[in-house]
Each structure stands twice: as structure tokens, then as C-alpha cells.
Amino acid sequence: MRIATYNVNGVNGRLPVLLRWLSEAQPDIACLQELKAPQERFPEEPIRDLGYNAIWHGQKSWNGVAILSRVGNIHETRRGLPGEPDDSHSRYIEAVVNGILVGCLYLPNGNPRPGPKFDYKLRWFDRLIAHAEELLDSKQPVVLAGDFNVMPTDLDVYKPKRWLDDALFAPEARAAYATLLKQGWTDALRTRHPGEKIYTFWDYFRNAFGRNVGLRIDHLLLSPSLKKRLVDAQVDVEVRGWEKSSDHAPVWIELSDNRAPKVSPRIRSAPGD
């Protein structure tokens, strides 16, 4: 089974790129971020024409996340993280797909730092950590996939010294990501590429992609049972070079068919419960 994550940077404006990638790569499950579209503007029909079911959590002009599947029904279990009832940002959606619990997330950027946006980023990270611990305690096969907006180590950024004041490389953000790993999550891409400079994002400015001046901010974290099934993890770098592409590239993992027990979905839709 192939599970992918892709920050599309506008699902409607870059729909041809998304459809081309889905058609060529054919991930079994795809998590999308930064839809930048209200709920009623999600392009369900053309995506369904490629054989994908979809659920999504939209928001006008900003944020937005979605889960696509071509391997069975999507049983939504949650939209929005618990812990902050007034949070109106569409940044998290969760579902059971083909026996795996999939959490699709778009973590706040947090810039400028310091300031209220950075404070919100850290609060959101704390809520994710608390929810992730509950997911691990459930012993279910779980993947947390998305744009985490954090470079975990110096290896994940082209020039670490130039990013010391940025929210994506702040010590607090990196420490929060490390806390997730200490809980028992496995960073799939880094596990398959230890010690390698590998990026998932290249800015539009100063020919960043052509010079391979990038960041690794899109991650797939695996629960212990899925770590045992990890076969491969890669970045579809070439997609970043397509015309009118997102500034992110899709990231994917391949899992073996040695499945864990089937997960029973539990609906939890209120972000503040």
C-alpha cells in the first residue's frame, strides 16, 4: 500500500498538477494540505473520475485538508484537534481507510516569531502531541501525514544558520517534533534516508528548486505496527518542476501487506471535545 502526503498550495488553482500526479503516481491513499478552498469548492468530481473517494475540511482562502482513497471507503473519525474549542482553522482531518487510521494535518507556520502566530503554532503542536499519544495508546496502526512546518534537524535545511530566527526552525518547534518521536512515532522518510540531504519544499524565489535549495517539512509518522511494515519512503521531486506546480513535492511511503488487526472507526467531529 502506498500512502502519500502533498501540500497542493491551492487545490483548484493547481488542479491539473494534482490530477496528473494522481494519475501517474496512483497512491492508494493521499493526504492533501493547503486546499485554500471553502467546503463547497472542493473539486470532488474530477478526483472521483480518477477512482478516488474523498473527504475534506475546507476553509475559504486559507488552510484546508483532505484524504483521498482508491482502496475502499473513508470512515471519518475526526475533524479538528481537541483542546481549543474556538479554533476555526481547518488543519486536521482523520479517518480509517483500509484498516489504517490516517491523520492528515497542516501545522501552523508560526511566523513572525515571536508573536501570536508563533504562540498559536506551539499550542497547536501541544494539542497534536496530546492527541498523538492517545492514538499510540490505542495500539491501532496509525499514520500522521502532512505539512508539519518544521525542519527537525540541521540535515533538513540547506543552510541552518540562515533559519535560526524562523518559526519553522525554532528550538521550540524542533523540540515539539522530537517529543512526537520520543512517544514512539517513526519518521518514515528519515528512517529510509539516514544522513541524506532530502527536501520536500523549495521556494519559488531565486531559483531555489533549480539550485536544490530546499527544506524538509512534509513528514509521515508511523505508529510501531506500521513501522514494521515500512518498505520504502520517497519524494516525487520531479513534480515540483512541473509547470504551475506547488512549492512542495509529494512524499510517499510503501507499506507491506502484512496487516495489523482491522481498526473500528469512532466518529469524533467536534474540535473541542
Side-chain angles (χ1 to χ4, degrees), residues 126-138:
D126 286 342
R127 291 160 59 199
L128 176 64
I129 289 168
H131 184 57
E133 188 170 18
E134 290 186 2
L135 294 178
L136 284 180
D137 289 344
S138 74

Side-chain angles (χ1 to χ4, degrees), residues 34-42 56-65 87-92 106 120:
E34 213 169 350
L35 304 179
K36 297 182 178 179
Q39 194 72 8
E40 67 275 10
R41 289 286 312 282
F42 183 82
W56 61 96
H57 187 17
Q59 185 174 342
K60 184 179 180 180
S61 302
W62 307 101
N63 307 321
V65 285
D87 187 2
S88 61
H89 289 200
S90 300
R91 294 184 176 275
Y92 187 83
Y106 177 45
Y120 173 64

